[in-house]
Amino acid sequence: MVESTGGNSIAIDELPVIDVNAAYAPEADFNAIVMAAHENGPFAQSSRGFEVLGYKECMALMRDPRLHSDHMSLVNAMGFPEGPAMEFKKAMLLSHGRDEYRTKIRQALTRAVGASVIEKQRPMIRTLVGDILNDLSQASESDLLHKFAFGVPSSLFCLWFGAPLEDAPWIAGLSDRILKIFSFDRQYTPGIISAYDELFPYVQKRIDDALESPKDNLLAHFIAENKAGHLTDTELFHIVAMFNEASTDNTAHGIATAIGELLGNRQRWQQLIDQPELIPAAINENMRLSGRINTLIRYASQDIEYGGVEIPEGTGISFFIPAAHRDPRVFSLPLEYDPTRTDAHNLLDFGGGVYTCLGKHVAMIEIQEALAELISNYPNAQVTNFDISSNPFVNEVAELKVDLVGAST
Amino acid sequence: MAQITYIEHDGTEHMLEVEVGYSVMQAALDNMLQGIVAECGGACSCATCHCYIDEAWLYKLGKPDVIETEMMEFAVGARDTSRLSCQLQVTEELDGLIVHLPESQY
Ligand code: HEM
Ligand code: FES
């Protein structure tokens, strides 16, 4: 048990060991491994280094100014060659630490998609979701993963940036290829680079078209910020490119997971049919137990002592999010799904502090509206095939097939 | 619309007409006010939109929820009158609200 005794701190290699890879082995009992680890305290060591399992400790360390994110080390580990993709990575938001650029870009994004402004787009998003659902075939096995879960955020991208809606599947494909960077697996690097090679001219075309014939959309908002001197031309370009990778893939998996897990469980689904006002809480609770992100990594910018542990400068700090979401010190009956729980806390799936996801609100609106439309149009739908593949970094929905008309026929 | 007065730590006052449904943070950011940083964009995840509520208004706002309370622990210089402005949704009843901005959010 690690205690904060002040002065008597211990080294990381003295911490209890957790085998994170074993927790993700096909036959492993993930919950049992994680709950056993919690009994040894909020910290552990693994082959990855320092693991933070405690919810409160994740919350605090994600916001600790002595830690930083380091996207470029991932880019370098993936072996990006010199070229436009590398230049983009070096310049864009993700690669900036706590600097003025970060604050400037994040404030510009908040003016564009912050909680209050984005709430106004809920009716538009609801219509979009409804249209996509209407277009789905009611064949016995609808592919809701590609047609619906990926369709919603990629179509929203098209509306936001003035692209034809027919481009949505291609947009989704690009985002999917680009986000393979988080696999930490170099076999995906050529696919990532070629996706950027396709994305960059496409982004430029969107901006050129918008300058020539302006529409009332998100791109117009960013162009206005550019004209007012709040964003440079390059920053404008990078923001549009970044929205492709940031807004599509994670949201699609969020939609598919919510449908797979909630529709896949008759009791949970019936509760939402009876009490649709529980939809937002049910999505949060499901995300707590079955989220997209398994590990977020930060690095110590200096020598740190935290919670009785010495963390030397440069140490990689892995926030083991599904463990933190099951922390028995914070969540009562942590393994139970309970959308009415009163100890609901901020989810860690969107990160924290100066790096927090800026799309959290729009992502949540998309997931909520997707579920609400499905419940009101197809209450009797049935999941026929749902498969999630998991690794220590992310969970990916591999398949989601649904019989939309379901039991009523 | 509700009129909200933001008072910076040096006494500079800004009076804004804010649309109902907006957060106190969003209006400050849209108008480029100094004093609210709002690094997380209103995700209740950074505590850099911290403000002090004029005592007279405190009870009208109701109590912060568990997520805001939890995040307030990370606010610099938090007091009994502290709130996170991204969690304060503007209603007609808040017409006349006065919020004081801290000297620094870090
Ligand atoms: C369920 C869907 C989503 C999940 C799970 C998710 C998750 C994340 C995570 C974990 C981070 C890093 C946070 C950290 O290190 O503390 C992040 C960053 C980011 N996300 Fe999301 N995201 C989602 C949807 C979106 C959407 C829809 C958008 C845009 C509209 C978006 C825009 C961003 C941006 C711009 C960043 C970079 C922040 C920075 O480095 O300053 N995300 N997201
Ligand atoms: S803007 Fe980050 S907590 Fe309010």
Side-chain angles (χ1 to χ4, degrees):
Chain A
M1 184 79 187
V2 180
E3 277 167 13
S4 185
T5 46
N8 292 336
S9 47
I10 63 170
I12 291 169
D13 61 10
E14 296 174 76
L15 287 168
V17 176
I18 180 170
D19 188 341
V20 175
N21 290 324
Y24 286 97
E27 301 304 322
D29 183 345
F30 182 84
N31 284 332
I33 293 175
V34 164
M35 296 316 285
H38 272 303
E39 286 180 17
N40 296 324
F43 305 113
Q45 58 167 314
S46 76
S47 57
R48 308 193 294 196
F50 182 47
E51 301 282 337
V52 188
L53 315 175
Y55 174 85
K56 288 189 171 145
E57 291 74 13
C58 279
M59 286 282 285
L61 283 170
M62 275 182 184
R63 290 159 182 85
D64 194 314
R66 299 169 300 175
L67 268 53
H68 63 271
S69 256
D70 186 2
H71 192 59
M72 279 315 286
S73 75
L74 173 57
V75 171
N76 291 328
M78 290 294 281
F80 270 46
E82 287 302 330
M86 184 63 142
E87 289 311 308
F88 169 66
K89 283 293 184 188
K90 281 185 194 161
M92 73 173 312
L93 178 62
L94 288 186
S95 302
H96 281 259
R98 293 160 195 273
D99 59 12
E100 278 174 30
Y101 177 91
R102 164 161 288 279
T103 304
K104 172 185 171 182
I105 298 296
R106 291 186 59 99
Q107 292 193 334
L109 292 180
T110 299
R111 289 192 291 272
V113 295
S116 324
V117 275
I118 207 67
E119 194 52 43
K120 288 194 163 173
Q121 295 195 23
R122 188 185 285 271
M124 180 272 273
I125 293 173
R126 180 173 305 159
T127 307
L128 178 69
V129 169
D131 289 349
I132 297 174
L133 201 55
N134 274 339
D135 285 348
L136 286 179
S137 113
Q138 297 184 353
S140 60
E141 291 234 308
S142 285
D143 176 4
L144 287 208
L145 175 61
H146 295 100
K147 303 249 162 64
F148 190 53
F150 272 97
V152 170
S154 55
S155 302
L156 185 57
F157 178 91
C158 293
L159 293 183
W160 274 346
F161 295 102
L165 277 175
E166 302 85 80
D167 290 359
W170 177 77
I171 292 288
L174 284 189
S175 172
D176 196 39
R177 271 152 71 195
I178 287 174
L179 280 206
K180 285 280 188 285
I181 188 168
F182 292 108
S183 67
F184 286 74
D185 184 344
R186 272 187 185 219
Q187 66 159 312
Y188 293 114
T189 304
I192 297 172
I193 302 296
S194 69
Y196 278 120
D197 287 342
E198 291 172 49
L199 177 64
F200 293 146
Y202 186 79
V203 167
Q204 193 56 54
K205 169 120 178 50
R206 301 278 70 82
I207 295 173
D208 293 344
D209 284 0
L211 288 170
E212 212 177 281
S213 46
K215 290 185 186 145
D216 179 16
N217 57 21
L218 193 65
L219 181 52
H221 167 94
F222 286 126
I223 288 177
E225 292 241 331
N226 169 250
K227 289 199 170 137
H230 302 314
L231 292 173
T232 66
D233 293 352
T234 312
E235 287 163 357
L236 169 67
F237 181 90
H238 285 171
I239 283 177
V240 183
M242 182 170 69
F243 259 79
N244 171 272
E245 62 185 84
S247 74
T248 306
D249 207 50
N250 285 334
T251 312
H253 288 287
I255 293 173
T257 308
I259 296 172
E261 304 270 7
L262 296 173
L263 174 61
N265 179 312
R266 229 38 240 178
Q267 214 179 338
R268 293 178 188 179
W269 193 250
Q270 192 58 48
Q271 187 183 29
L272 296 181
I273 293 173
D274 298 340
Q275 294 169 272
E277 68 281 6
L278 280 181
I279 291 174
I283 291 168
N284 283 356
E285 178 66 348
N286 190 58
M287 208 179 250
R288 180 179 73 81
L289 291 168
S290 189
R292 160 76 166 155
I293 312 286
N294 292 328
T295 307
L296 278 180
I297 299 181
R298 301 264 199 275
Y299 297 87
S301 319
Q302 60 190 74
D303 291 344
I304 298 171
E305 202 258 278
Y306 182 83
V309 185
E310 286 162 30
I311 311 169
E313 180 178 346
T315 303
I317 297 165
S318 301
F319 298 113
F320 192 10
I321 292 174
H325 280 166
R326 288 163 174 75
D327 187 340
R329 300 169 205 82
V330 172
F331 300 98
S332 60
L333 299 174
L335 301 179
E336 301 282 307
Y337 164 87
D338 177 8
T340 65
R341 64 167 63 241
T342 50
D343 58 2
H345 292 263
N346 219 339
L347 289 172
L348 301 172
D349 250 50
F350 295 98
V354 304
Y355 302 98
T356 310
C357 177
L358 286 157
K360 174 180 173 177
H361 301 290
V362 66
M364 282 314 211
I365 290 176
E366 288 174 71
I367 302 171
Q368 287 162 8
E369 293 303 326
L371 215 62
E373 284 292 304
L374 201 58
I375 285 175
S376 65
N377 287 293
Y378 297 108
N380 299 315
Q382 277 177 350
V383 174
T384 51
N385 207 339
F386 176 52
D387 183 26
I388 296 191
S389 75
S390 297
N391 65 51
F393 293 98
V394 287
N395 295 326
E396 292 214 350
V397 178
E399 189 157 31
L400 175 64
K401 295 268 172 65
V402 172
D403 176 359
L404 283 174
V405 183
S408 68
T409 54
Chain B
M1 285 287 183
Q3 193 180 66
I4 300 185
T5 306
Y6 299 74
I7 306 179
E8 288 184 48
H9 75 283
D10 65 1
T12 313
E13 288 192 17
H14 307 269
M15 220 181 268
L16 301 181
E17 291 291 332
V18 184
E19 232 178 284
V20 168
Y22 270 55
S23 68
V24 172
M25 173 282 279
Q26 185 85 41
L29 218 62
D30 287 353
N31 288 280
M32 310 268 174
L33 294 198
Q34 301 291 314
I36 294 287
V37 180
E39 285 280 8
C40 77
C44 202
S45 289
C46 68
T48 61
C49 62
H50 171 216
C51 65
Y52 304 109
I53 304 300
D54 210 67
E55 303 255 355
W57 284 92
L58 207 52
Y59 75 99
K60 284 205 186 166
L61 292 174
K63 286 221 173 335
D65 65 12
V66 56
I67 292 177
E68 186 184 344
T69 309
E70 168 178 278
M71 196 47 50
M72 215 109 74
E73 286 174 27
F74 300 102
V76 177
R79 301 185 208 135
D80 288 350
T81 57
S82 290
R83 291 296 300 265
L84 295 179
S85 60
C86 69
Q87 301 305 301
L88 300 177
Q89 251 203 6
V90 175
T91 59
E92 298 284 359
E93 288 73 56
L94 293 192
D95 189 29
L97 176 72
I98 299 169
V99 299
H100 299 266
L101 308 182
E103 183 167 0
S104 168
Q105 294 283 359
Y106 297 106

